[in-house]
Amino acid sequence: MHFLVVEDEVKLADLIVRYLRESDHTAESRHDGPGGLDAARDPRVDAVVLDVMLPGMDGVEVCRTLRREGNDVPIVLLTARGAISERVAGLDAGADDYLVKPFAMEELHARVRTISRRRPALTGRLEVGDLVLDPEQRRAWRAGAELDLSRREFAVLEVLMDNAGRVVSRARLLDEVWDGEVDPRSNAIDVHISKLRAKIDKAFGRSSITTLRGTGYRLENRQ
């Protein structure tokens, strides 16, 4: 699982991140509300540990904004001891659970695992490194940034991601993306591959799509 920890107490945030990493997860941290909100929008985030008291935007408002945007990422709020109003406001805003400071790391881990199991599975979503594609929603992201892809570009990327690390022949792309309606001698594939490279590679300083002359294309299966 990949965790996002939003906590303005840097030492505590670092402690939580270190514990999660030692528990065989990946984790990152942010230390203010706006930064946490932006990071939580990344589709790779599986769960958020969110402090209520944050600079710039409090945790309750971060939670409320995510839910208003349709983001159902599991959220555990960290609240001050005795601050019942904070807990009520957080749960009303859409948080899944809360934990009162100070707390044991083992309990935090257990709470997050529990609420993550309640989240509906994201069936059909493809992930290759920092590339994420959701066929159902027809949306794709790289490093958390949404990609503006045409219908054909999306279809080409979906085939490549579904076969990451393997060569996809030009004939297969013509068959699956263009339904065989394009002359095999056409440069339609080359044009769309070039546009994809500009949007998912050059724009992010990456090199993901490899051309194998006379054979086809391969999306490199690497982080």
Side-chain angles (χ1 to χ4, degrees):
M1 291 179 65
H2 182 66
F3 291 88
L4 171 65
V5 179
V6 188
E7 166 63 65
D8 64 333
E9 294 181 40
V10 177
K11 289 184 178 180
L12 177 57
D14 290 346
L15 184 64
I16 297 172
V17 166
R18 185 165 63 250
Y19 175 83
L20 292 170
R21 288 175 177 171
E22 290 173 352
S23 301
D24 296 324
H25 301 292
T26 58
E28 61 183 297
S29 63
R30 297 293 186 276
H31 307 299
D32 61 73
L37 175 61
D38 187 56
R41 289 169 171 149
D42 188 329
R44 294 172 298 170
V45 173
D46 295 304
V48 179
V49 178
L50 179 65
D51 189 27
V52 170
M53 299 301 292
L54 293 169
M57 175 187 290
D58 65 44
V60 172
E61 186 57 31
V62 170
C63 182
R64 183 179 294 113
T65 301
L66 289 170
R67 297 305 188 234
R68 191 163 53 234
E69 294 174 351
N71 191 324
D72 67 346
V73 64
I75 296 174
V76 172
L77 282 178
L78 303 182
T79 71
R81 180 177 297 277
I84 296 176
S85 59
E86 288 182 356
R87 302 174 217 168
V88 172
L91 293 172
D92 284 345
D96 298 272
D97 202 351
Y98 66 85
L99 200 54
V100 177
K101 296 179 180 180
F103 52 84
M105 291 296 168
E106 293 80 3
E107 183 179 4
L108 171 63
H109 195 193
R111 296 285 187 100
V112 175
R113 288 200 311 270
T114 298
I115 64 173
S116 295
R117 285 196 291 268
R118 301 175 197 158
R119 191 183 191 190
L122 298 174
T123 56
R125 176 169 284 191
L126 302 174
E127 297 189 29
V128 180
D130 61 359
L131 264 174
V132 180
L133 183 144
D134 189 323
E136 184 176 342
Q137 296 186 37
R138 309 296 294 177
R139 299 173 69 188
W141 301 263
R142 169 140 246 176
E146 187 158 6
L147 303 170
D148 182 15
L149 304 178
S150 70
R151 181 174 63 86
R152 297 283 195 199
E153 290 163 1
F154 186 94
V156 170
L157 181 59
E158 183 175 4
V159 174
L160 292 176
M161 289 183 68
D162 199 35
N163 295 276
R166 300 189 294 271
V167 178
V168 177
S169 68
R170 293 174 63 87
R172 181 173 177 181
L173 284 173
L174 285 172
D175 183 55
E176 294 194 24
V177 178
W178 280 269
D179 297 320
E181 298 174 354
V182 175
D183 189 316
R185 295 168 294 182
S186 166
N187 70 341
I189 293 179
D190 304 287
V191 170
H192 283 77
I193 289 291
S194 177
K195 290 181 177 179
L196 266 182
R197 282 193 173 118
K199 293 180 178 181
I200 74 170
D201 282 349
K202 292 180 182 178
F204 294 89
R206 308 283 202 278
S207 179
S208 305
I209 303 175
T210 298
T211 299
L212 294 95
R213 295 196 178 280
T215 306
Y217 304 91
R218 180 177 63 224
L219 182 71
E220 301 302 335
N221 190 5
R222 60 186 177 219
Q223 297 298 317

